Amino acid sequence: QVQLVVSGGGLVQAGGSLRLSCVASGSIVAINTMAWYRQAPGQQRELVATATSGGSTNYADSVKGRFTISRDNAKNTVHLQMNSLKPEDTAVYYCSARIASYGAIYSGTRDYWGQGTQVTVSS
């Protein structure tokens, strides 16, 4: 009953920029924290950035000063602006959100995940 759709991934040269977007839709009552994760080949999934509904943000040390997470609560959307990209940023990026929803199949609060989008940074 809730779907997160991610867009904006692609191939970019080192030093370039990309902007990822994640839109939540469905029988949404409220969205708490929204977050971006990434997973590089052979590596565990890691937390990149989080944004609460009240506007607080947090970043992994590896992306501080380069990435910015932002939300448009009216549109149930979260963005990740990625600047000064490095080859080590190459990964599949995932959007996640803790969402309260109501529907015939499921009602309650849990974490939802988008499909993931590939970000490749070439040197």
Side-chain angles (χ1 to χ4, degrees), residues 33-108:
T33 300
M34 303 188 80
W36 290 96
Y37 290 78
R38 67 186 182 186
Q39 187 168 23
Q43 303 295 316
Q44 290 186 304
R45 184 173 297 182
E46 65 173 336
L47 181 64
V48 176
T50 62
T52 70
S53 60
S56 297
T57 60
N58 192 37
Y59 299 90
D61 289 340
S62 59
V63 306
K64 286 180 179 177
R66 300 188 298 119
F67 290 10
T68 302
I69 187 171
S70 60
R71 292 177 58 157
D72 185 340
N73 292 328
K75 298 180 179 179
N76 292 333
T77 300
V78 63
H79 304 282
L80 185 67
Q81 179 67 47
M82 304 184 293
N83 298 326
S84 302
L85 283 162
K86 305 174 181 179
E88 49 263 46
D89 295 318
T90 295
V92 176
Y93 283 71
Y94 297 90
C95 174
S96 180
R98 180 158 294 181
I99 297 174
S101 63
Y102 184 85
I105 300 174
Y106 176 82
S107 295

